[in-house]
């Protein structure tokens, strides 16, 4: 048994994940190459290797002839009969070739063949390993900047995070651990080349799969994703189990699940909405948190008209149009948003056959500053509104009345105590 060769093959198989059969094939090819370099040709050279013991033998198959013309491929009858008296002209005799007799150059070439085969197999194993992870996420360590690109170490090789796949404004520091989405794996002469991304929408999907068990097992499906990396993402979810709330499953207890994804995305805001096969309901959900009066969707033209209350127009459109833009990407519809006043002025309610009334919406708006607070941003690019429904106002009014009753009761008790004290004082003086 060739113990040294067996241990060496087992070590390479374990460290580099290259099968022993491939390594034995490389050794066989290297011996054939050595024979060709030593003898000038190796057409009749055979190599036998025992995969269990790693014992190997190299021999040349020579034809028995009366007169030898080529000593490399032929053997005379007399010499063949010395090996076995039964050999006759035309028979094939295996002649052992001691590999120790190979010259230095032949041995070096054989060594290079083995090393080249190991490098090729190592690249192939790496390629297959990362190709199986394509379109998935993995954790990498930031290495260094390559111009405007960034090198990310994925464990066994370095991937490239191109400038176009980086989140604008995100700073990745050296030796920092980050989640990246594997875009593409190419097999090149220098080894696998892996491209990764931090902006791809599927990065969010894969992060939810890793955080939400219901998404991973298919109970909850992520039907659509619209993302503006580094700023905001909208995802539409659907449950295959009526007992499972898809939005609640993705949010988690006290927002634990969605917060884990948000933290990984460095604070990127995520809106989770319910998917609906009805395009109008889906568009209404997609424009959340804005309230909608009505939605008219044209499935053939993939266009939709949305009417919102006047005070919800800026919220529906969003800062720099982001909310409407993401809703359009999420639903696949071109969305035209009109305010309530614009719709009335253009006669859209009559045109659409909608019997519009002022109280048709389930919320009430007043311009009084006691009921509405507007926060304008410093650059004047839009505002956020905090509004109160009539139901909220009624609750507040009841709470105020209740507090007033309690206060009156406490005041009457204080007055009674004071009168009692005065009576006791007068009695004592008498």
């Amino acid at each position: 048994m060739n113990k040294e060769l067996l241990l060496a093959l087992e070590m390479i198989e374990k460290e580099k994940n290259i099968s022993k059969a491939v390594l034995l094939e490389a050794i066989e090819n290297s011996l054939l190459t050595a024979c060709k370099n030593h003898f000038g040709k190796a057409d009749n050279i055979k190599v036998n290797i025992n995969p269990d013991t790693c014992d190997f033998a190299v021999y040349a198959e020579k034809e028995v002839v009366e007169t030898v013309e080529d000593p490399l491929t032929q053997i005379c009858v007399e010499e063949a009969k010395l090996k076995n008296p039964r050999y006759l002209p035309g028979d094939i005799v295996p002649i052992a070739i001691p590999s120790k007799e190979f010259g230095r150059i032949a041995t070096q070439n054989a060594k290079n063949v083995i090393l080249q085969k190991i490098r090729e197999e190592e690249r192939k194993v790496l390629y297959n390993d990362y190709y199986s992870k394509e379109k998935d996420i993995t954790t990498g360590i930031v290495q260094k900047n390559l111009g405007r690109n960034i090198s990310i170490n994925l464990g066994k090789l370095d991937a490239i995070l191109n400038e176009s796949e980086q989140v604008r404004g995100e700073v990745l520091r050296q030796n920092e651990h980050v989640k990246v989405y594997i875009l593409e794996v190419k097999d090149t002469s220098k080894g696998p080349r892996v491209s990764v991304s931090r902006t791809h929408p599927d990065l969010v999907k894969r992060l939810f799969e890793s955080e939400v068990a219901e998404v991973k097992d298919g109970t909850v499906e992520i039907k659509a994703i619209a993302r503006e990396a580094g700023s905001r993402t909208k995802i539409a979810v659907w449950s295959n189990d009526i007992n499972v709330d898809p939005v609640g499953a993705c949010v988690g207890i006290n927002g634990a699940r969605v917060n884990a994804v948000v933290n990984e995305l460095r604070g990127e805001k995520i809106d989770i909405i319910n998917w609906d096969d009805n395009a109008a309901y889906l568009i209404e959900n997609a424009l959340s948190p804005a309230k909608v009066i009505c939605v008219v969707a044209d499935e053939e033209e993939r266009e939709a008209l949305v009417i919102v209350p006047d005070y919800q127009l800026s919220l529906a459109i969003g800062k720099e149009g982001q909310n409407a833009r993401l809703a359009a990407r999420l639903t696949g519809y071109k969305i035209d948003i009109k305010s309530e006043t614009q719709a009335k002025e253009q006669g859209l309610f009559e045109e659409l056959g909608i019997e519009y009334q002022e109280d048709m919406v389930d919320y009430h708006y007043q311009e009084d500053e006691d009921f509405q607070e507007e926060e304008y941003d410093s650059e004047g690019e839009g505002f956020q509104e905090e509004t109160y429904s009539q139901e909220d106002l009624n609750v507040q009014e009841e709470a105020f009345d209740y507090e007033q009753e309690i206060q009156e009761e406490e005041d009457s008790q204080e007055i009674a105590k004071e009168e009692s004290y005065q009576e006791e004082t007068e009695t004592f003086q008498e």
Side-chain angles (χ1 to χ4, degrees):
M1 179 181 291
N2 195 335
K3 292 184 178 181
E4 292 182 358
L5 180 58
L6 182 61
L7 291 174
L9 294 182
E10 289 178 350
M11 185 179 299
I12 294 174
E13 183 179 30
K14 184 177 181 180
E15 291 180 356
K16 300 184 180 296
N17 199 23
I18 302 175
S19 67
K20 188 192 296 184
V22 172
L23 295 172
L24 292 174
E25 182 183 355
I27 293 173
E28 181 179 342
N29 292 333
S30 68
L31 291 172
L32 291 174
T33 301
C35 290
K36 186 174 183 179
N37 292 328
H38 186 73
F39 298 112
K41 61 180 180 180
D43 298 338
N44 62 325
I45 304 297
K46 302 294 181 183
V47 178
N48 283 336
I49 302 179
N50 188 323
D52 298 324
T53 63
C54 287
D55 290 332
F56 64 91
V58 183
Y59 59 92
E61 294 180 340
K62 295 186 178 182
E63 182 183 2
V64 180
V65 295
E66 295 290 344
T67 304
V68 176
E69 297 179 357
D70 183 1
L72 293 178
T73 59
Q74 296 175 341
I75 186 173
C76 64
V77 177
E78 292 78 9
E79 189 176 352
K81 286 186 177 295
L82 290 176
K83 296 183 176 295
N84 193 327
R86 296 181 179 181
Y87 283 129
L88 299 173
D91 291 342
I92 301 299
V93 179
I95 305 298
I97 300 175
S99 58
K100 294 182 180 180
E101 295 181 1
F102 293 159
R104 181 180 62 83
I105 296 177
T107 304
Q108 184 64 33
N109 289 337
K111 176 183 176 182
N112 292 337
V113 170
I114 295 175
L115 293 177
Q116 179 65 22
K117 184 64 175 179
I118 291 175
R119 283 193 292 267
E120 290 177 358
E121 288 299 317
E122 190 173 8
R123 287 199 298 266
K124 187 182 294 184
V125 168
L126 272 177
Y127 173 77
N128 292 333
D129 186 20
Y130 283 95
Y131 184 76
S132 64
K133 298 178 181 178
E134 197 176 58
K135 311 303 179 187
D136 202 352
I137 62 170
T138 187
T139 302
I141 303 175
V142 179
Q143 293 296 299
K144 57 184 177 180
N145 292 332
L146 303 174
R148 295 186 176 181
N149 301 331
I150 299 176
S151 174
I152 307 289
N153 182 265
L154 302 182
K156 296 181 180 179
L157 52 77
D158 289 344
I160 302 298
L161 180 62
N162 293 320
E163 182 185 11
S164 60
E165 300 298 334
Q166 299 174 27
V167 177
R168 183 180 300 178
E170 184 180 58
V171 179
L172 299 178
R173 295 178 175 82
Q174 192 172 6
N175 296 327
E176 185 178 8
H177 288 72
V178 293
K179 296 280 188 182
V180 292
Y181 180 78
I182 299 179
L183 281 177
E184 186 180 28
V185 182
K186 290 183 178 179
D187 190 13
T188 66
S189 58
K190 295 182 180 180
R193 180 182 175 86
V194 181
S195 299
V196 296
S197 173
R198 286 278 295 171
T199 62
H200 201 282
D202 282 349
L203 173 64
V204 181
K205 181 178 180 180
R206 298 301 183 189
L207 287 174
F208 271 102
E209 288 178 354
S210 63
E211 293 292 338
V212 183
E214 291 84 353
V215 175
K216 188 174 184 179
D217 63 22
T219 303
V220 175
E221 293 183 37
I222 298 178
K223 289 284 192 177
I225 298 179
R227 185 185 184 201
E228 290 189 357
S231 179
R232 196 178 203 93
T233 294
K234 284 182 180 286
I235 67 171
V237 293
W238 170 267
S239 176
N240 293 311
D241 187 342
I242 59 174
N243 296 319
V244 176
D245 175 22
V247 175
C250 292
V251 172
I253 300 175
N254 296 326
R257 292 175 171 180
V258 70
N259 285 339
V261 177
V262 169
N263 292 336
E264 185 58 45
L265 298 177
R266 313 292 177 89
E268 182 175 316
K269 296 178 181 178
I270 298 178
D271 295 338
I272 306 173
I273 68 165
N274 282 303
W275 172 269
D276 202 300
D277 292 330
N278 186 306
Y281 288 126
L282 177 61
I283 293 170
E284 181 180 357
N285 294 341
L287 287 172
S288 175
K291 302 296 183 181
V292 174
I293 293 178
C294 70
V295 179
V296 180
D298 187 344
E299 294 186 1
E300 294 182 358
E301 299 294 332
R302 306 294 291 179
E303 295 179 352
L305 172 64
V306 179
I307 302 176
V308 300
D310 292 346
Y311 68 98
Q312 291 281 297
L313 181 61
S314 61
L315 185 60
I317 295 174
K319 185 178 180 179
E320 298 179 353
Q322 185 185 67
N323 193 57
R325 188 166 56 249
L326 288 174
R329 291 181 190 171
L330 188 73
T331 60
Y333 278 73
K334 182 180 179 181
I335 300 175
D336 183 15
I337 301 177
K338 300 287 186 182
S339 69
E340 182 180 352
T341 301
Q342 290 173 334
K344 287 190 291 185
E345 290 176 352
Q346 298 175 13
L348 294 178
F349 290 112
E350 294 78 4
E351 183 181 339
L352 298 173
I354 298 175
E355 187 177 347
Y356 175 75
Q357 298 177 359
E358 293 293 338
D359 58 348
M360 67 181 293
V361 290
D362 60 349
Y363 41 80
H364 185 66
Y365 170 73
Q366 295 186 20
E367 295 180 354
D368 195 303
E369 60 181 1
D370 293 334
F371 302 136
Q372 175 176 307
E373 297 177 2
E374 298 179 353
E375 295 180 1
Y376 292 83
D377 66 335
S378 58
E379 299 177 357
E381 295 178 346
F383 62 90
Q384 296 178 342
E385 300 178 348
E386 183 177 351
T387 59
Y388 301 86
S389 67
Q390 186 62 48
E391 184 179 352
D392 293 335
L393 297 175
N394 294 336
V395 171
Q396 292 178 0
E397 186 176 354
E398 291 176 0
F400 177 77
D401 293 341
Y402 178 69
E403 291 177 357
Q404 192 172 12
E405 290 177 2
I406 294 176
Q407 187 64 40
E408 290 176 354
E409 184 176 352
E410 291 178 352
D411 291 343
S412 62
Q413 290 176 355
E414 290 292 334
I415 292 172
K417 287 181 180 179
E418 187 175 353
E419 291 177 350
S420 175
Y421 176 75
Q422 289 178 354
E423 290 176 359
E424 291 177 356
T425 303
E426 291 175 357
T427 303
F428 175 76
Q429 290 176 350
E430 289 176 358

